[in-house]
Amino acid sequence: QVQLVESGGGLVQAGDSLRLSCAASGRTFSPYSLGWFRRSPGKEREFVASIGWSSGATAYADSVKGRFTISREISMNTVYLQMDSLKPEDTAVYSCAVRRTVRTIGGYVRPSEYDYWGQGTQVTVSS
């Protein structure tokens, strides 16, 4: 079993930055990858970014590419999401998730590919 705890959300103005953290705990932690997703009111959960736990390979949604950076600190079992140049449309609850293995090629964008989820942290960007 893996527990994930996100932190770092808040209320900011457009153009500001935030850094989200996701700390993982469990007896052994060696997933294939971790991902960040977000959900806005009335919308489905949306892929934001992912990172290979061992490889460090990253992927981003087009909507955040160039503004968000995902990284991980293996020694601390923690993944980060640095969010710069925030826009009002980035307002959402952001959740991190663990993908234990690869089920389908390219499946990293699908919530169904992930096995464990955190509770989420609210990010609100005012205009």
Side-chain angles (χ1 to χ4, degrees), residues 46-65:
E46 173 190 25
F47 170 76
V48 176
S50 70
I51 187 166
W53 190 246
S54 297
S55 69
T58 59
Y60 297 92
D62 287 343
S63 59
V64 306
K65 202 172 291 183

Side-chain angles (χ1 to χ4, degrees), residues 94-112:
Y94 285 72
S95 300
C96 64
V98 165
R99 189 184 186 205
R100 290 186 299 175
T101 61
V102 176
R103 296 186 183 89
T104 56
I105 302 299
Y108 61 90
V109 299
R110 289 193 285 270
S112 59

Side-chain angles (χ1 to χ4, degrees), residues 56-115:
T58 59
Y60 297 92
D62 287 343
S63 59
V64 306
K65 202 172 291 183
R67 299 188 298 122
F68 290 12
T69 304
I70 189 171
S71 62
R72 87 272 193 243
E73 178 58 62
I74 293 176
S75 64
M76 296 180 65
N77 284 356
T78 299
V79 64
Y80 303 98
L81 185 68
Q82 176 67 40
M83 306 186 295
D84 298 320
S85 303
L86 282 161
K87 304 175 181 180
E89 51 263 44
D90 294 319
T91 295
V93 175
Y94 285 72
S95 300
C96 64
V98 165
R99 189 184 186 205
R100 290 186 299 175
T101 61
V102 176
R103 296 186 183 89
T104 56
I105 302 299
Y108 61 90
V109 299
R110 289 193 285 270
S112 59
E113 288 278 320
Y114 292 78
D115 302 282

